[in-house]
DNA sequence: TACGTAACCGGTAACGGTACCGGAAATATC
DNA sequence: GATATTTCCGGTACCGTTACCGGTTACGTA
């Protein structure tokens, strides 16, 4: 039981040629129903399993799609689940690799994938990634790539991303509607795409509501919780302290929350807080925290869908799909009850 | 730039045979240093990339290891990260698939992996999985498998699991040390391995401390938060209500916490609570919740390590590695201060 | 009857490598 | 100087499958 049956075995068994077996197995039209049936029967009997490696080697594509993500946190892993969903549906196998936010890892992964002939790449680039030659190699081989979550500049490829500006806008606008007037933003690192986009939304909302922008209310800091904690602590010390904070990630919101509590301020009365991503834990905190929710699953599905389209029709247009987030309002920012 | 260079191309270029090129590329001893160098140079120049598919096809193994997990939650995804770590180190590529806790998906995934000739399987089975033929197929083909996280009965293979009994023990013992005497357990579904093991630890701790077991304090319910909430609600109504609860997952602990708060009880004074897994959010709740922490990363690394060992030395012994969890004590159970 | 046309099937090359065998040249051994 | 031994390299079969090119056979049509 160690050796796997091949089409040769079943050909021998029936005294037909391997070509006939090959055709019968893929239900080609030029095989009689009789032989087709007997071939199928013998295949069943011998527990024949096609050797995908041999097929892939022959036909030069593998029906597997490479997926590279910086990590598998809540957001990314549900996006991957979305990719998985439609890929499986369409008969593709998904190969997931994590770059761990490391450029080196990402390059290694792309190289391995290229060598094993994945049919293309769906990628959310690492934060370290500044050059894109490793990705361009896919294009040189005419393999489709689609970027999601984080967009890839310099590369002409479909993108599936969140409308980050809109996310920043609805979060800020909501705070304004709740009567907050001196709203700070804990933005991410400067020059980072999503960070700036979310901040643009913030600025737009302020402008639309005729609120002036106070530079002191715009804080750039790392995504992590501790930075946000210290930044908030500083922010709350100032004489004209903000009465609301919008953070562009939930982790940062947590940091801000801790600083707020330490300062003895109450949410939402003294100060409002809105995060980004809507991680499940937010509804467990006291107070529960408002957040902007991404359609993660849909983003994943969309990315895979577009990928498969491009795989089939050589020159489908290169689009960038922008999905809208929704605001989940909870206690931390709900000051007005109607 | 569309076609990839092959050893044939570089052989032609140098007027040597493809065998020589093949040998030179893998640094075989019977090629002179001179030709080796020139071959390497030309390979570089032509951007030669070995076709892994061709190699795998020829040598009948792929240097990729299949990993199947029920999902990619906090625990599992860091275990996968551990697997990734050592696999990459050892030159293996990892192929991760999620079964979504579905038996059908799991079977599909194993089948695809078998067809694409992964070198073996590292698996945490889905909760639906009751039959194991799809896994046995790997063994029939002499492919190593190792089970982790959830053990696989009926299959003779190395296991890497947590010492769940010990986990239950330290959690319960800690509660006892803190002066709690009437300790309930929210166990998982009956007949589930990890559930029973953790409960055994609970029972052992009670026995060692000469506390009698009250059957009403043992609740079997689903892993999810809502069940735990309702179960706890019932539990707290009884006249002789427990003064501490140990839940075998953090999700359940959350459910219990909500019920406790609703009832107006204070942790840790009125009632103690300990969860399992130590998900990051626990330290953000009020009160912060104690929990048993798994060495997730280590479990993943260990699984991969054992896997690779078995891959290389045909008959290394079949062990089951049992890693110890540690207890993280937080506010929800810390009643005695020294 | 003869011929054209489907319908069906077989033979074979090829995909990119590896492994094995064997041979020639260079070197060592006596 | 003849033989034995390395050292280095080429030839070739082969892995499992598909694609392509033909060749039979059977059947319909004139």
């Amino acid at each position: 039981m160690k050796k796997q049956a091949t089409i040769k075995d079943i050909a021998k068994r029936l005294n037909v040629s391997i070509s006939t077996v090959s055709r019968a197995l893929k239900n080609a039209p030029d095989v009689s129903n009789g032989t087709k049936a007997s071939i199928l029967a013998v295949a069943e009997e011998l527990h024949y399993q096609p050797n995908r490696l041999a097929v892939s080697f022959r036909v030069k594509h593998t029906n597997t799609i490479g997926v590279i993500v910086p990590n598998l946190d809540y957001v990314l892993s549900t996006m991957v689940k979305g990719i998985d969903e439609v890929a499986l549906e369409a008969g593709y196998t998904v190969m997931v690799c994590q770059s761990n936010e490391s450029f080196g890892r990402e390059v290694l992964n792309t190289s391995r994938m290229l060598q094993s002939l994945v049919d293309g790449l769906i990628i959310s680039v690492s934060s370290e990634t500044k050059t894109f030659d490793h990705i361009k190699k896919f294009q040189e081989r005419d393999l489709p790539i689609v970027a999601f979550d984080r967009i890839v500049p310099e590369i002409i490829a479909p993108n599936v991303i969140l409308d980050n500006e809109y996310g920043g806008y609805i979060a800020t606008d909501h705070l304004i509607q709740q009567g907050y007037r001196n709203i700070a933003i804990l933005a991410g690192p400067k020059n980072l795409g999503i960070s700036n986009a979310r901040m643009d939304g913030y600025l737009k909302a302020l402008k639309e509501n005729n609120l002036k922008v106070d530079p002191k209310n715009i804080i750039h800091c790392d995504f992590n919780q501790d930075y946000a904690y210290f930044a908030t602590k500083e922010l709350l010390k100032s004489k004209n302290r903000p009465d609301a904070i919008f953070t562009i990630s939930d982790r940062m919101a947590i940091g801000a929350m801790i600083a707020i509590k330490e300062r003895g301020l109450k949410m939402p009365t003294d100060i409002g807080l809105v995060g980004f991503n809507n991680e499940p834990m937010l509804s467990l905190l006291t107070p529960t925290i408002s957040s902007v929710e991404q359609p993660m699953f849909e983003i994943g599905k969309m990315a895979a869908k577009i990928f498969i389209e491009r795989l089939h029709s050589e020159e489908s247009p290169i689009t960038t799909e922008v999905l809208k987030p929704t605001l989940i309002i909870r206690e931390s920012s709900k000051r007005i009850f109607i």
Side-chain angles (χ1 to χ4, degrees), chain A:
Chain A
M1 242 317 166
K2 201 173 150 186
K3 201 164 175 322
Q4 184 63 15
T6 72
I7 56 168
K8 207 177 287 182
D9 296 321
I10 107 153
K12 206 175 298 169
R13 180 75 162 268
L14 286 168
N15 273 328
V16 295
S17 76
I18 58 168
S19 338
T20 307
V21 176
S22 174
R23 276 181 298 229
L25 253 19
K26 63 170 60 161
N27 206 11
D30 50 353
V31 182
S32 75
N33 288 330
T35 51
K36 209 176 276 186
S38 48
I39 286 172
L40 254 31
V42 175
E44 174 76 14
E45 182 189 347
L46 297 182
H47 298 108
Y48 171 76
Q49 289 265 101
N51 184 327
R52 272 184 88 187
L53 225 53
V55 178
S56 296
F57 172 54
R58 179 67 235 260
V59 303
K60 293 188 171 335
H61 60 95
T62 50
N63 270 279
T64 89
I65 104 179
V67 173
I68 298 181
V69 290
N71 58 61
L72 285 170
D73 63 14
Y74 173 64
V75 174
L76 257 345
S77 78
T78 62
M79 286 181 180
V80 169
K81 199 170 285 186
I83 294 174
D84 224 47
E85 187 76 14
V86 343
L88 227 66
E89 190 83 12
Y92 289 87
T93 302
V94 172
M95 183 156 184
V96 184
C97 290
Q98 315 184 43
S99 64
N100 283 330
E101 299 282 7
S102 143
F103 177 69
R105 274 282 180 93
E106 188 174 295
V107 171
L108 180 61
N109 284 328
T110 52
S111 149
R112 290 243 178 114
M113 284 180 170
L114 224 35
Q115 286 179 14
S116 33
L117 302 193
V118 297
D119 292 352
L121 183 65
I122 299 183
I123 186 171
S124 171
V125 294
S126 93
S127 53
E128 282 183 19
T129 304
K130 302 289 179 242
T131 75
F132 302 92
D133 292 348
H134 58 302
I135 298 181
K136 283 181 186 155
K137 277 185 188 151
F138 282 77
Q139 299 187 314
E140 286 169 6
R141 291 230 223 143
D142 277 345
L143 298 176
I145 81 178
V146 0
F148 74 107
D149 189 43
R150 307 180 184 176
I151 96 166
V152 179
E154 293 195 34
I155 299 270
I156 302 168
N159 283 278
V160 180
I161 52 169
L162 184 74
D163 190 336
N164 283 294
E165 180 183 331
Y166 179 73
Y169 176 80
I170 55 177
T172 312
D173 186 63
H174 159 68
L175 286 168
I176 297 171
Q177 299 310 320
Q178 294 292 315
Y180 299 105
R181 285 294 172 270
N182 190 18
I183 303 168
I185 179 171
L186 261 55
K190 266 178 195 168
N191 302 328
L192 186 66
I194 58 170
S195 174
N196 290 334
R198 291 172 192 180
M199 191 169 68
D200 288 345
Y202 161 83
L203 295 172
K204 185 180 170 205
L206 291 187
K207 193 172 178 186
E208 270 191 21
N209 288 275
N210 297 315
L211 293 176
K212 68 174 195 305
V213 178
D214 183 349
K216 289 198 303 296
N217 274 344
I218 298 178
I219 313 287
H220 287 283
C221 65
D222 208 53
F223 271 101
N224 94 28
Q225 178 176 322
D226 294 337
Y227 277 95
Y229 166 75
F230 290 115
T232 306
K233 210 166 166 176
E234 281 310 306
L235 217 42
L236 297 181
K237 277 183 193 162
S238 67
K239 50 183 175 300
N240 185 26
R241 71 152 178 84
D243 60 357
I245 300 177
F246 164 48
T247 66
I248 68 160
S249 88
D250 285 338
R251 299 282 157 187
M252 293 164 79
I254 304 280
M257 181 191 78
I258 295 174
I260 290 171
K261 285 189 175 180
E262 272 187 21
R263 188 84 189 176
L265 297 174
K266 294 286 169 221
M267 293 175 280
T269 42
D270 301 331
I271 190 165
L273 180 62
V274 176
F276 211 108
N277 278 347
N278 193 30
E279 296 200 27
M281 63 172 149
L282 295 190
S283 59
L284 303 170
L285 303 175
T286 350
T288 56
I289 297 185
S290 304
S291 193
V292 177
E293 181 178 63
Q294 304 196 30
M296 302 166 287
F297 196 66
E298 280 69 30
I299 289 179
K301 292 212 297 189
M302 180 74 79
K305 187 169 149 282
I306 291 179
F307 178 87
I308 291 173
E309 275 172 20
R310 282 191 69 73
L311 211 47
H312 292 132
S313 66
E314 277 297 284
E315 282 317 324
S316 62
I318 292 178
T319 62
T320 114
E321 298 289 331
V322 180
L323 305 205
K324 295 264 183 229
T326 55
L327 180 67
I328 307 296
I329 300 172
R330 297 204 181 82
E331 295 163 359
S332 70
S333 67
K334 199 172 179 183
R335 193 153 72 162
I336 297 179
F337 299 88
I338 1 170

